[in-house]
Amino acid sequence: MWARVCEVMFGCWLAMSPFIFRHPPDEPRWWWNDFGCAAAVIVLALASFHPRTQWAHLLGIAVGLWLIASGYRDLATDPPPAVQNDVLVGWLLLMFAIIPNDADRPPAGWEERLREEKDQFRVPRSE
C-alpha cells in the first residue's frame, strides 16, 4: 500500500502547486485543473485501501493521462514551471498507478514456502 500513500502525497503536492508556482489569476483553468486532479488522486488512492474498491487506484491512470495531455496542450516554446509540474506529476501517477496494492508482499508461492519452513522448525509445546 506504499504506492497509494505516495499517490496521496502527489495529490497534496498538486493541491499546493498553484500557490507554489503562482498560477496567473487570468488562467482559472490551471487552478481548477490542479485542484480537481488533486482531489481525484487523493480520493482514488484512499478508496484503494477498502477491499471493495481496491482497484480504484487504476483510475489514477486516467488522471495521469489527463495531466500529461493538458500539459502538452498548454505547452509553449518555453513552458512555465506549473505546466512542467503537471506533466511530471502525470508521469509519476502513471508509474505508481500500475503498482499493485500488495506490492510489498512476496509472491504467493514464496509465502507458502516460508510458512512450510516455519512449521517445519516449530518446536511442539510440552504440557
Side-chain angles (χ1 to χ4, degrees):
M1 297 301 258
W2 62 270
R4 307 298 77 85
V5 173
C6 291
E7 288 172 352
V8 170
M9 289 189 286
F10 292 148
C12 292
W13 172 255
L14 271 175
M16 293 184 306
S17 66
F19 303 104
I20 294 170
F21 295 111
R22 300 182 190 261
H23 285 354
D26 60 336
E27 287 286 352
R29 182 173 43 97
W30 287 5
W31 289 81
W32 287 108
N33 187 40
D34 282 350
F35 289 139
C37 289
V41 167
I42 292 171
V43 167
L44 291 172
L46 291 176
S48 293
F49 282 96
H50 193 277
R52 293 180 65 194
T53 56
Q54 67 182 351
W55 300 105
H57 66 94
L58 292 175
L59 295 174
I61 293 172
V63 178
L65 289 172
W66 172 260
L67 282 169
I68 294 167
S70 66
Y72 281 116
R73 181 189 64 222
D74 295 332
L75 200 59
T77 55
D78 188 23
V83 173
Q84 294 175 12
N85 179 62
D86 286 350
V87 172
L88 177 66
V89 172
W91 282 110
L92 287 170
L93 282 173
L94 285 179
M95 288 189 293
F96 277 80
I98 61 173
I99 297 173
N101 287 343
D102 58 353
D104 57 339
R105 298 184 58 184
W110 292 9
E111 281 187 337
E112 184 179 324
R113 172 76 178 176
L114 289 171
R115 208 173 304 116
E116 289 171 1
E117 288 181 6
K118 188 176 172 183
D119 290 341
Q120 178 183 2
F121 293 108
R122 182 171 287 155
V123 178
R125 288 185 175 181
S126 59
E127 293 183 33

